[in-house]
Structures are given as structure tokens and as C-alpha cells.
Amino acid sequence: MRIRGERNPDRDERSREEPPAATRTCRQARSDLRLHPKRSQWCERGSDPAGCHGRYSRRVPPSIRIRVPAKVNLHLGVGPVRANGFHELVTVFHAVDLFDEVLATPAPALSLTLRGSADGVPTDSQNLAWRAAILLAAHAGVSPDVALEITKAIPVAGGMAGGSADAAATLVACAALWDVPSSELPALAAELGSDVTFPLLGGTALGTGRGEILRPVPMTQTLQWVFVLADHGISTAEAFRELDRQREAGAPPAALDAAPMTAALPDGSPHAVAAVLHNDLQPAALALAPALADTLRAGAKHGALAGIVSGSGPTCAFLCADADDAAKLAAALDADGVGRATRVASGPTPGATRVG
Ligand code: ATP
């Protein structure tokens, strides 16, 4: 039995095979031929000579550009740690139109470059997108020969799952390059991290297990948000540890019933959704970053329907009645110098999508 992620020796063997004899007459062409990663066939002859004296097509796949959204948890219930070391979660993910972009281009070797707001983000195997490329390549039985260029707009370590979004986008981009069916991606995403599956799907979804088991929640309305970015990050692991400490000291039990939110969403007003926003991790985030309480107060003062820490924080999310109110709230918070920056966004929005 082959373990997921291990190279497939049968496939490797096939990849060393020579192209069919009838087409093996041009030595220069040999290096231009590419093995179809899934079907183990050599590319057919084609009309593009590309230095092959007209005998072969030089099938180099184009770059693939994927846009991927941030998430906010409309409900985040955190249960006890399970035997696998993960906390049990009952959460409602909601994708908003703050996007990172991942451009994947075939290259001689794996590389990763960053653009945009990417302070402190690694460019090596510590980056979740890099690990996504390695995992998918092993699954497909190909070398991870791809140049990844990530343009970041999702706040780093902000509780909006930016790293997970980049990993999901990398899976989608490289799957297109290496001909992996999209139906195989959710299992790989779940291997990479609890939050990596949702950005493949987008929209709004109930997440259970450790967040990777998803059920879409239909919504008819668009929600208008203001996000207040902080000038520091919160480590997700540290936020969970702080919650465990608080629970040992008698903090409120887990809110593992997301029914109030899933009932409000299908056709509820923003007011109805605002009334049931909930985050079990919020007290932990406030303990780690007490200034967030001022941010939440400022949002309430300037007319937000409700404010909540996004995931493990420190980004704060404010739900507004409509787009005008969101613009006014962002302007008021900017004028007061609350947080590092504000972003106006709406949701739900689709998951990782090819844009070029
Ligand atoms: P989550 O909401 O899933 O807990 P987050 O939004 O709080 O995550 P991320 O932006 O995903 O946090 O980053 C957390 C840490 O992961 C960063 O501090 C960074 O060191 C590391 N990291 C690895 N890959 C990436 C990536 N592609 N983008 C951002 N951070 C990354």
C-alpha cells in the first residue's frame, strides 16, 4: 500500500521510459518533450516546431493565476483537544472579497517569491504554499518544478487564514499544471491544515471535525464588513493554548452549536446575523492583545451592528447594515486612528478561482 505523499515507483518507472520509437528520431526534441503527468504519455507531435525541427509539439503549460479569498468565522465554537491533538471545532466559515493571488509558472525548480504586504512570511519550505506544491507533486508523481509568486493582501497572522488560502490556491494552480482532478484536492488540503479546505470552496460553510469537514450554507444576502487590521500578529497556536488555560480556570464552555447562525443565514437580515456572531477564541485573543477591546468599542461607537475578533485575531470584523454604513464606519475608524488600517469587504464570495 502506498502512503499518500510517497512517490509512486510505477509512475517513476514510466517517467524514465523513452518516447515511442517512431518519434525518437530527433535528439534535440527529447528535452522538449514533456510527460503527461497523469497519463504517462509523451506529448503528441504537433505543428509548433519550437526547436524540434518540426517533429514535436513543445507543450509547455502556461502560467496559472488563482485568486483566493480571506475568511472570517461567523461562529467559532472550540471544543476540547481530541486524541489527534486538534481541538474539535464547530464553525461557520464565510469568504470575503479580500484576496491573495498565486501565480504558478512551470520552472526548472520550485521557488517562491512574495509581493504585497508580506512581512515575516517565509519564502521556503516553511511557507504553506511551498508545502502544498510539494504534496501535490508527490501525489501526481511529478517533480514540483514550479515558480510560485504570491501577492498578499490578506493580513498576515491576522486570523483570516491567509497562509491556508495561499496553500489552497497553490493546489488549484498546480493541479491545472499537472493535470490533477479537482476532486482530489480537498483530501490533500485537509492534510496541509484545518483551514485549507474551506478556501477551495468559498461561500459560507459549516465546518466540523477540526474545520475540514464542510457543508455549504446557502445565503441570499450579501454581508458588508469592515476589517480593522492590527500592527502585530497573534499566533493561532498561542490563542488555542490561552483558551485552554482559561478553560482550566473555569471560562465558559465551548459553544459547539452553530444552529443559531446557520438558521439566521439563509435569508436573515444583517441585523439577524449580527445578533448571533460568536467566537470562542475571542476572550483568548483579548487576553493576548488587550488593545483589541478598544478596537471593538470603537466599532460599536461608530455604528457597527456587531464586532467580533476574526478567528484567532487580531483582525477585528465589524458587520454593517449596508455598503454605505461600511464606508462610513471605515472612514470614522481611520479618522480616529483605530488599528493599523481598515479594509471594507463583502461576502460571501467564491473560493479559489482562476483569473488568468
Ligand atoms: P489562521 O486564521 O488560519 O489561524 P492566520 O490568518 O492567523 O491563520 P496566516 O496569515 O495564515 O495566519 O499566517 C500564520 C503564520 O504562518 C505566519 O506568521 C507565517 O509565518 C506562516 N506562513 C506560512 N505560509 C504563509 C503564507 N503563505 N502566508 C502567510 N503566512 C504564512
Side-chain angles (χ1 to χ4, degrees), residues 30-279:
R30 177 70 177 77
S31 63
D32 284 334
L33 282 168
R34 299 180 73 84
L35 194 66
H36 191 290
K38 283 303 264 190
R39 293 183 207 108
S40 297
Q41 293 162 346
W42 293 93
C43 295
E44 304 153 316
R45 289 188 228 186
S47 54
D48 173 13
C52 309
H53 312 306
R55 292 196 57 83
Y56 302 99
S57 64
R58 186 171 181 275
R59 200 170 74 171
V60 179
S63 293
I64 308 279
R65 186 182 294 276
I66 303 292
R67 197 173 72 170
V68 65
K71 63 84 186 162
V72 57
N73 302 77
L74 304 182
H75 177 96
L76 179 50
V78 182
V81 186
R82 299 186 308 180
N84 62 7
F86 289 98
H87 289 79
E88 178 186 355
L89 297 185
V90 175
T91 187
V92 178
F93 292 111
H94 178 71
V96 294
D97 57 2
L98 277 181
F99 299 111
D100 279 1
E101 274 191 12
V102 173
L103 179 69
T105 308
L110 178 56
S111 66
L112 191 153
T113 53
L114 293 166
R115 293 180 187 280
S117 312
D119 278 358
V121 178
T123 54
D124 56 14
S125 60
Q126 296 300 305
N127 195 301
L128 208 48
W130 181 292
R131 296 193 342 235
I134 296 276
L135 182 67
L136 186 72
H139 177 78
V142 300
S143 295
D145 297 337
V146 63
L148 299 172
E149 183 184 301
I150 303 179
T151 306
K152 289 205 67 74
I154 302 174
V156 174
M160 301 193 77
S164 301
D166 298 344
T170 300
L171 288 178
V172 174
C174 292
L177 293 178
W178 301 333
D179 207 27
V180 177
S182 55
S183 60
E184 295 175 12
L185 299 185
L188 297 170
E191 255 182 75
L192 288 163
S194 307
D195 281 355
V196 183
T197 317
F198 175 68
L200 293 174
L201 181 69
T204 305
L206 177 68
T208 52
R210 52 187 170 87
E212 84 288 14
I213 304 166
L214 298 174
R215 179 165 61 78
V217 178
M219 287 182 66
T220 50
Q221 81 279 22
T222 299
L223 299 177
Q224 305 294 337
W225 298 92
V226 174
F227 293 94
V228 177
L229 282 45
D231 50 15
H232 54 86
I234 288 183
S235 146
T236 305
E238 182 56 29
F240 276 94
R241 278 196 294 274
E242 174 60 27
L243 176 62
D244 291 340
R245 275 195 291 271
Q246 293 181 351
R247 290 248 168 92
E248 276 165 25
L256 294 180
D257 181 9
M261 180 55 74
T262 52
L265 281 170
D267 48 18
S269 67
H271 295 78
V273 175
V276 289
L277 284 173
H278 177 81
N279 182 359

